[in-house]
Amino acid sequence: MPAPVLYLSHGAPPLADDARWTRELADWSATIERPKDILMVSAHWEAAPVALSSTTGAPLLYDFWGFPQRYYEVTYDAPGAPELAQSVAGLLSGAGESRHQDPSRGLDHGAYVPLMAMYPEADVPVLQLSLPTLDPEALLALGAALRPLRDEGVLIVGSGFMTHGLPFLREFVLDAPPPEWSRDFDRWAAAALSRHDVAALVRFREVPSARFAHPTVEHFAPLFVALGAAEPGAPMAAPVTGYWLGLSKRSVQFA
């Protein structure tokens, strides 16, 4: 069986302190056959042409500001994935995509924060891939080009946030009630995903609540890489739902 494809809401560094969410992620990973490698596509790395992260152990990228010092001392020493990098490069070349290797680029928090909960032993090789564009159609094509990796046991993970309207939050409390725009967009996305309506998802900006849920769209964009890597109409499950700071943490798995 090919490895599944995931889109997950990754949270900020304090996710590591949220016992419920980390347990949800850990329980989720326990249902997935141990992957040979993990290919992460995070909202926090936009670079064109497509770029690949270090395969030789570059330090983590603490790409956040204003948090307590302990969040800048976290480590996640997953092995590099040079063979996966070669496979990705070959697939992208075959699809006519330019790409380059960034040997100084370590994993950002969109990659290592959820992986700390899902694979805490840091014993699965990880490679990160940049978002070369935010165009949904182009990202669907990118995901489709990467689909053969699943037959090699590679877990492809798009890491974003189902709603990410930080400028419109009124209180930064973990269990704050979700604003109506967050609930509305989450309901819409859940319905579109359940009926495999990729065309509607591509047009997500037309949803009235999208202007609040995604004032910038980089946290929704990894979903399209995941959708492209999944087989059309593949069974979909949502192992993680609910809200964090009022933002939807809905995360999905495509078989």
Side-chain angles (χ1 to χ4, degrees), residues 9-216:
S9 296
H10 62 245
L15 163 59
D17 301 328
D18 187 316
R20 176 179 176 180
W21 197 357
T22 54
R23 172 49 54 193
E24 290 171 335
L25 290 171
D27 289 347
W28 184 10
S29 65
T31 69
I32 299 170
E33 185 175 347
R34 179 183 170 84
K36 175 178 175 287
D37 299 295
I38 298 172
L39 179 64
M40 296 290 298
V41 184
S42 162
H44 295 283
W45 191 17
E46 297 177 50
V50 176
L52 303 175
S53 67
S54 171
T55 60
T56 57
L60 297 180
L61 182 61
Y62 303 108
D63 54 335
F64 44 83
W65 298 267
F67 288 92
Q69 179 60 32
R70 61 193 175 90
Y71 294 120
Y72 302 92
E73 297 170 354
V74 167
T75 59
Y76 188 76
D77 299 321
E83 293 181 2
L84 176 56
Q86 291 181 351
S87 295
V88 170
L91 290 171
L92 295 182
S93 294
E97 288 273 2
S98 300
R99 86 283 173 202
H100 73 277
Q101 191 91 33
D102 185 345
S104 67
R105 187 48 156 80
L107 302 177
D108 62 46
H109 81 269
Y112 73 79
V113 166
L115 289 179
M116 286 174 60
M118 299 179 81
Y119 298 98
E121 299 301 320
D123 55 355
V124 180
V126 182
L127 180 72
Q128 190 168 339
L129 184 77
S130 72
L131 285 168
T133 176
L134 297 177
D135 176 68
E137 295 284 5
L139 293 175
L140 286 168
L142 175 61
L146 298 171
R147 191 182 301 160
L149 295 172
R150 299 175 56 201
D151 292 324
E152 302 175 14
V154 176
L155 182 66
I156 299 174
V157 182
S159 179
F161 223 128
M162 188 58 73
T163 62
H164 198 252
L166 292 174
F168 305 109
L169 295 180
R170 294 182 178 178
E171 53 180 335
F172 285 81
V173 179
L174 294 186
D175 59 353
E180 186 54 36
W181 52 260
S182 189
R183 286 188 182 275
D184 178 77
F185 191 87
D186 179 63
R187 286 191 294 260
W188 171 84
L193 286 163
S194 68
R195 65 177 186 266
H196 307 288
D197 195 342
V198 176
L201 291 162
V202 164
R203 301 193 306 274
F204 73 96
R205 290 182 180 87
E206 298 175 8
V207 180
S209 54
R211 63 185 290 247
F212 301 105
H214 291 288
T216 59

